[in-house]
Amino acid sequence: MTPRIEITHVSKRFSRKSELVERLAERAGLKAPKPVVHALDDVSLTVGSGEVVGIVGESGCGKSTLGRIVAGILDASAGEIRYKGQTLAEMPDRQAAQARLDVQMIFQDPSSSLNPRHRVDEIVGAAALRHGKTTRAGLADYVAEQMRRAGLDPAMSRRFPHQFSGGQRQRIGIARALAVQPDMLICDESVASLDVSIQAQILNLFMDLRRDLNLTYMFISHDLSVVEHISDRVVVMYLGRIVEEAPVAELFAHPAHPYTRALLQEIPQLDTKRRHYAPIKGEIPSPLAPPSGCHFHPRCPLAMPRCALERPELRQIGPAHRSACHLND
Amino acid sequence: MTAPMLEIRNLRTEFATDAGRVTVIDEVSFTLNRGQVLGLVGESGSGKSVTGFSIMGLIDPPGQVSGGQILFKGEDLRTLPEPRMRALRGNRIAMIFQDPAMTLNPVLRIDTQMIETILAHEKVSKTVARDRARDALGMVGIPSPEERLRAYPHQFSGGMRQRVAIAIALLHRPDLIIADEPTTALDVTIQAQILAVVQRLARDHGTGLIWITHDLSVIAGLADRVAVMYAGRIVEHGDVDTVIRTPRHPYTHGLIGSLPSRNPRGQHLKQITGTTPAIAALPQGCAFRPRCARATEACLAAPPVTQTEGRLLRCFHPVTEGEAA
Ligand SMILES: Nc1ncnc2c1ncn2[C@@H]1O[C@H](COP(=O)(O)OP(=O)(O)O)[C@@H](O)[C@H]1O
Ligand SMILES: Nc1ncnc2c1ncn2[C@@H]1O[C@H](COP(=O)(O)OP(=O)(O)O)[C@@H](O)[C@H]1O
Ligand code: SF4
Ligand code: SF4
Ligand SMILES: [Mg+2]
Ligand SMILES: [Mg+2]
């Protein structure tokens, strides 16, 4: 079967725009050009149809950048992405537009992604109407259906976003995404700013939608317990690279990469009695100047001389289990 | 037995809002001994920060602490004149905020800020103060502290800035630290580093800690006791292992039951229905009533406080031990 998404050798570099004075200085050779951030560095990943792939890693490791590129909001600097077998460039314009619509993104902060001056029915219905998913005559019913599906009372459709709680605002964002009938959602920290009791409600909604609409998910979160609960497969990133990837049960039972192992040890557990914190040493290095070789080597308890020199390749270490570490050799 | 280091009795704080005066926390009582860690948990808006600010004497008018006692080493902080309160603050009692910017001055070098903080409370030479500042940075795990002393706050990462703010809170080896979600915005590896530091502090120096968070898992590994707040009141309070293993207030019970780690992978999470009520429009009687599956007629009245085996509960129909297991 053709995978829903195939990401091959995708890189993304951001360069900060220089001020005019700085640019002149650069041109005169007085100043080095602005540093480039390697937000993604040769990332390859496949997402099957109907699969939930969790993406974890510390802030700045490139999770959002990857999500945005797959959602077509950002362009990759190198590499390619196939949507059901084809890149957007290979598709005729109409088909490419549809392929973009098929992948919808749900953001962390529901408030900032909703226009405060629009009523809920406008927010939910606008894109659906524009893309011909409903007619003007059928709009009210259509919006009501999306709201119900997202767990909102359609009677509230004439209200403004600020009249809702945080959890309800996230539901509005979900209703808006569903209204264009996507078959894939990219959730970027979509429950991170919600209270625990509301988190459970929204996670349940995501699981219901998956079952009812056969959705594919890329589920980005720094919260490993959330990712463990909802994902079929988990991808661990560190400074722009995938360091490990495995089916969820395998990853949590047999983490292979030293970074994954350390990360799993750091998560506070509800059931551990008073524990002694013995954390990973050191900071997350700056992506402006990532360490040579294996990006994790300055913090890795198992680092060898080779680790500072050579980038470890992401390779198969078990059925559907990949890891990027020289210890695998 | 000696008196507890901190004893809070029936603390009440009010704010003036468009809707008139609103009581934001009420009947908040707990004690904290030397070297003890109390976890204060609850949803956003439940009154955790206001509790911390009230103890610190940092509620600005027209808000005010309007009732109760804050006994610190036997002395009621509410009756202290402001100059004496100011002398205690930052010296014997310190607060760490979620946002380190609340502590750090962006235009001053770290050494300037730290030395000023020391000299504000102690008569020592600048050299001694500087040495103390450097040691404090080292203690919170900041590499090459001597160099970092000369840096400005913006030259640090978020996790480093928070550690500097913590180092400043530690400068006078305070007896009490109130930490308001200091690791919420940080990555787990950085959070673990900070937890290691404060844990050592409580153990080695007898510092009492009030650790405010919405993350019960953090409390599980760090605290001795936990107080759960809902709508401005402590609804359950007890030994941390006991409360987490057998929560008895329906809110605590529902909260813990909804965590992914308490549910089979991939299955529907048990969830608490509904949302947190606005503090200005609390339901009559028990504030949790509209979301509570155990609610009865009785819950239209304010629930009684019961105390059994060191656990406090504010509920008419607590979950029984059998059900809780
Ligand atoms: N628009 C941008 N311009 C410049 N740098 C960016 C931009 N977006 C992201 N970055 C940088 O790329 C890296 C990866 O960021 P991001 O994908 O947001 O990580 P994550 O979501 O894992 O926290 C970070 O160093 C970030 O600062
Ligand atoms: N300065 C203030 N004026 C009016 N209301 C306030 C003020 N500070 C906090 N509140 C209200 O008090 C309640 C408790 O707030 P807070 O203690 O910050 O909650 P938490 O820290 O548990 O999230 C909230 O309803 C909040 O809106
Ligand atoms: S490659 Fe080396 S430094 Fe990197 S994770 Fe493996 S052992 Fe550690
Ligand atoms: S007092 Fe009644 S409504 Fe409140 S938590 Fe207990 S059972 Fe539920
Ligand atoms: Mg992100
Ligand atoms: Mg708060």
Side-chain angles (χ1 to χ4, degrees):
Chain A
M1 214 173 88
T2 322
R4 179 66 185 80
I5 300 285
E6 286 170 278
I7 301 162
T8 35
H9 302 301
V10 162
S11 291
K12 178 68 187 178
R13 292 177 288 274
F14 290 107
S15 45
R16 214 156 33 93
K17 279 222 177 61
S18 315
E19 308 281 327
L20 178 65
V21 193
E22 286 177 310
R23 271 204 305 279
L24 292 174
E26 277 163 31
R27 218 167 302 156
L30 297 173
K31 207 161 177 272
K34 268 278 142 55
V36 175
V37 179
H38 285 256
L40 291 178
D41 182 5
D42 195 4
V43 166
S44 297
L45 174 68
T46 301
V47 179
S49 208
E51 196 181 20
V52 180
V53 174
I55 315 272
V56 301
E58 293 174 282
S59 52
C61 70
K63 305 182 294 296
S64 297
T65 303
L66 183 62
R68 289 192 152 93
I69 289 176
V70 173
I73 298 171
L74 267 182
D75 288 325
S77 311
E80 63 174 36
I81 312 218
R82 292 182 175 275
Y83 300 82
K84 299 176 187 162
Q86 276 182 296
T87 65
L88 293 176
E90 289 165 2
M91 299 175 196
D93 287 354
R94 295 257 323 250
Q95 195 192 337
Q98 182 59 47
R100 280 212 174 83
L101 219 51
D102 285 344
V103 182
Q104 287 293 310
M105 200 148 176
I106 313 278
F107 297 95
Q108 163 167 4
D109 184 358
S111 325
S112 66
S113 63
L114 303 175
N115 187 330
R117 282 185 299 275
H118 288 179
R119 295 175 192 276
V120 173
D121 56 354
E122 295 159 333
I123 291 172
V124 173
L129 194 62
R130 193 165 62 244
H131 295 288
K133 302 293 176 190
T134 177
T135 60
R136 199 160 280 283
L139 184 62
D141 285 344
Y142 187 79
V143 166
E145 187 192 330
Q146 309 313 317
M147 287 182 70
R148 255 192 303 274
R149 185 167 269 152
L152 289 165
D153 182 353
M156 302 194 289
S157 67
R158 295 299 290 160
R159 295 199 190 166
F160 292 99
H162 74 264
Q163 295 172 292
F164 293 84
S165 68
Q168 285 174 321
R169 280 199 288 266
Q170 193 55 288
R171 291 182 192 273
I172 298 172
I174 294 169
R176 174 180 58 184
L178 295 178
V180 296
Q181 301 173 17
D183 64 355
M184 177 165 184
L185 293 184
I186 297 179
C187 301
D188 189 358
E189 302 284 3
S190 308
V191 298
S193 59
L194 305 175
D195 276 315
V196 178
S197 71
I198 308 303
Q199 253 187 33
Q201 297 174 0
I202 300 295
L203 288 172
N204 283 344
L205 173 62
F206 282 136
M207 289 188 281
D208 290 343
L209 293 174
R210 177 192 192 187
R211 188 194 54 215
D212 298 344
L213 304 174
N214 195 22
L215 296 181
T216 304
Y217 283 90
M218 238 169 95
F219 200 92
I220 298 168
S221 175
H222 70 281
D223 185 337
L224 281 112
S225 70
V226 165
V227 164
E228 178 179 9
H229 191 80
I230 202 164
S231 309
D232 301 317
R233 200 149 51 89
V234 179
V235 170
V236 184
M237 295 184 65
Y238 190 75
L239 279 182
R241 296 175 179 171
I242 294 179
V243 297
E244 185 162 9
E245 178 199 334
V248 63
E250 166 82 2
L251 188 100
F252 283 88
H254 308 292
H257 196 279
Y259 175 63
T260 312
R261 301 176 74 98
L263 199 61
L264 292 185
Q265 244 162 42
E266 306 287 328
I267 335 173
Q269 297 280 349
L270 197 57
D271 296 305
T272 42
K273 288 266 167 69
R274 211 140 317 134
R275 55 175 280 195
H276 224 74
Y277 286 95
I280 314 185
K281 291 269 173 332
E283 298 295 304
I284 307 164
S286 159
L288 284 172
S292 59
C294 171
H295 284 345
F296 189 52
H297 84 258
R299 305 171 82 188
C300 180
L302 303 174
M304 317 166 273
R306 180 184 173 195
C307 302
L309 303 172
E310 260 176 76
R311 169 179 182 162
E313 211 184 312
L314 183 64
R315 42 190 205 83
Q316 196 89 15
I317 57 162
H321 195 158
R322 296 195 297 163
S323 160
C325 173
H326 291 308
L327 293 170
N328 299 324
D329 290 355
Chain B
M1 225 183 91
T2 53
M5 179 179 65
L6 180 72
E7 184 172 2
I8 306 291
R9 288 190 193 152
N10 285 319
L11 189 62
R12 180 172 70 238
T13 299
E14 300 174 359
F15 286 107
T17 69
D18 301 344
R21 294 199 76 76
V22 175
T23 302
V24 164
I25 59 167
D26 204 357
E27 297 179 38
V28 170
S29 302
F30 59 82
T31 59
L32 187 74
N33 296 323
R34 262 178 59 83
Q36 223 179 23
V37 183
L38 169 75
L40 194 57
V41 297
E43 309 202 355
S44 50
S46 60
K48 305 182 296 294
S49 297
V50 168
T51 301
F53 284 121
S54 299
I55 296 170
M56 292 295 294
L58 291 174
I59 300 288
D60 291 326
Q64 63 160 344
V65 178
S66 56
Q69 291 174 298
I70 304 165
L71 300 171
F72 177 67
K73 297 179 170 174
E75 196 170 23
D76 190 352
L77 299 186
R78 283 192 66 204
T79 63
L80 281 192
E82 180 53 28
R84 281 208 49 211
M85 190 62 208
R86 212 175 310 129
L88 272 185
R89 226 178 3 242
N91 184 8
R92 303 328 313 145
I93 308 179
M95 187 149 179
I96 306 167
F97 304 93
Q98 176 167 357
D99 182 357
M102 300 265 292
T103 306
L104 300 176
N105 185 333
V107 302
L108 294 182
R109 272 174 23 176
I110 299 296
D111 53 359
T112 316
Q113 308 194 34
M114 294 184 84
I115 291 168
E116 269 178 15
T117 308
I118 295 173
L119 297 182
H121 295 288
E122 280 176 66
K123 285 199 174 56
V124 292
S125 74
K126 258 188 132 163
T127 327
V128 170
R130 197 167 197 286
D131 289 348
R132 280 257 296 281
R134 189 195 49 229
D135 293 348
L137 287 187
M139 200 165 138
V140 296
I142 288 182
S144 28
E146 181 61 48
E147 272 162 53
R148 303 308 265 166
L149 272 178
R150 287 191 296 274
Y152 288 89
H154 73 265
Q155 294 172 298
F156 290 87
S157 67
M160 285 281 219
R161 266 200 294 274
Q162 188 59 286
R163 266 181 275 181
V164 175
I166 293 175
I168 290 178
L170 305 186
L171 279 174
H172 296 283
R173 297 264 159 86
D175 303 307
L176 170 65
I177 295 181
I178 300 174
D180 190 1
E181 313 224 21
T183 59
T184 301
L186 304 178
D187 282 304
V188 282
T189 59
I190 309 301
Q191 167 171 287
Q193 290 172 357
I194 288 176
L195 292 176
V197 173
V198 295
Q199 204 169 40
R200 186 151 27 91
L201 205 71
R203 198 181 52 224
D204 300 349
H205 299 288
T207 309
L209 267 179
I210 299 177
W211 195 268
I212 298 175
T213 178
H214 62 275
D215 189 342
L216 271 163
S217 315
V218 168
I219 294 297
L222 181 72
D224 304 293
R225 296 182 62 76
V226 62
V228 182
M229 289 192 85
Y230 191 82
R233 283 180 165 80
I234 294 177
V235 295
E236 180 157 14
H237 180 199
D239 169 69
V240 73
D241 299 331
T242 316
V243 170
I244 286 179
R245 198 162 22 89
T246 57
R248 297 201 51 208
H249 191 279
Y251 171 64
T252 323
H253 188 253
L255 192 66
I256 291 177
S258 74
L259 294 175
S261 57
R262 283 297 162 90
N263 287 268
R265 190 180 282 155
Q267 303 285 302
H268 245 237
L269 298 162
K270 286 192 223 84
Q271 64 180 47
I272 303 179
T273 54
T275 53
T276 323
I279 214 107
L282 290 183
Q284 184 198 338
C286 175
F288 189 56
R289 185 171 46 86
R291 307 176 74 184
C292 182
R294 305 172 75 85
T296 64
E297 230 21 49
C299 308
L300 286 166
V305 175
T306 54
Q307 194 121 28
T308 38
E309 291 165 24
R311 172 168 12 198
L312 173 147
L313 282 170
R314 193 183 288 276
C315 175
F316 281 106
H317 315 295
V319 180
T320 59
E321 295 282 353
E323 286 173 279

